[in-house]
Amino acid sequence: MKKSLIGAIGEQMVSVKLMQQGWNVLNANASITNFESIDLVCINPETDEISLVQVKTQLGQNPNFNVGCTIQKVDTLLEKIKGPWVFVQVIGEGLDMEFHYFILSRQEVVDLILTSNEWYLKDWKRTKELSDNCTVNLKLKWLKGKGEPETSSHSAYVCSLDHDSENCWQKLWE
């Protein structure tokens, strides 16, 4: 299945989950393909609060979520983060797809990107330089609040997230 189709499915599934909770949802990509910085505009009809949501979708048991920038351009990405992010893990194919939702507030996304990128850049024992086009990825286990043990290749990574973010929908309003 095409990557763009997987992304669109993830956005639609998040829209459904939000509507099931009574929130109104507009897909920014419906009028402008790959709208920059946000995918969904979520409105709480009780409070009129607006949440600008980014959705990242990946297939597999232990996916890495590409955050959309290289290690050299993290500062540029951080300026573009407008609100919370929903990471959608998809297991299976076709009609047998199973979805898991991990929701981080804007600040949690920023902190996780900064701390994991710093760890990746400074705490690894490398024999050669990193390429400038190396992408920033977040591991599923980090979205669950788990870090990385120390190995012969790197020091331990203490995850900035201290809890499992699965189904933490209230993070949309933080």
Side-chain angles (χ1 to χ4, degrees):
M1 200 175 279
K2 281 183 166 179
K3 189 174 182 175
S4 60
L5 185 55
I6 294 295
I9 289 170
E11 288 173 12
Q12 293 302 318
M13 294 304 293
V14 171
S15 292
V16 168
K17 296 300 279 186
L18 296 173
M19 288 186 284
Q20 285 175 326
Q21 296 175 66
W23 299 326
N24 298 321
V25 182
L26 301 168
N27 189 324
N29 296 314
S31 59
I32 299 174
T33 304
N34 206 11
F35 193 88
E36 186 176 22
S37 302
I38 64 169
D39 293 315
L40 305 173
V41 178
C42 184
I43 304 163
N44 185 330
E46 292 179 10
T47 64
D48 289 331
E49 274 186 277
I50 295 174
S51 186
L52 304 176
V53 180
Q54 179 74 39
V55 178
K56 298 291 184 183
T57 306
Q58 289 293 328
L59 292 169
Q61 292 291 336
N62 292 300
N64 289 329
F65 293 88
N66 184 321
V67 300
C69 74
T70 64
I71 58 173
Q72 306 303 330
K73 305 244 179 188
V74 168
D75 292 338
T76 304
L77 171 70
L78 297 178
E79 293 171 7
K80 293 180 181 180
I81 297 175
K82 305 293 184 204
W85 284 21
V86 179
F87 297 88
V88 182
Q89 175 193 23
V90 182
I91 300 170
E93 295 180 17
L95 296 175
D96 294 326
M97 287 179 169
E98 177 184 317
F99 300 90
H100 297 272
Y101 308 92
F102 300 87
I103 301 91
L104 274 63
S105 69
R106 181 193 182 281
Q107 191 60 55
E108 288 173 332
V109 171
V110 168
D111 291 346
L112 190 56
I113 290 171
L114 283 175
T115 60
S116 63
N117 196 53
E118 174 117 350
W119 169 74
Y120 188 68
L121 289 173
K122 295 184 177 174
D123 293 338
W124 279 69
K125 300 168 186 119
R126 292 190 175 78
T127 57
K128 61 180 183 176
E129 294 254 340
L130 283 171
S131 164
D132 284 346
N133 61 359
C134 184
T135 60
V136 176
N137 293 282
L138 299 179
K139 291 185 174 188
L140 177 64
K141 68 193 276 183
W142 300 345
L143 302 177
K144 294 181 177 187
K146 299 175 184 168
E148 300 288 338
E150 183 172 351
T151 70
S152 60
S153 299
H154 57 73
S155 64
Y157 170 61
V158 178
C159 186
S160 64
L161 195 63
D162 63 0
H163 62 279
D164 187 338
S165 65
E166 188 166 10
N167 293 319
C168 291
W169 295 102
Q170 73 280 4
K171 301 279 182 176
L172 294 179
W173 310 110
E174 291 181 3

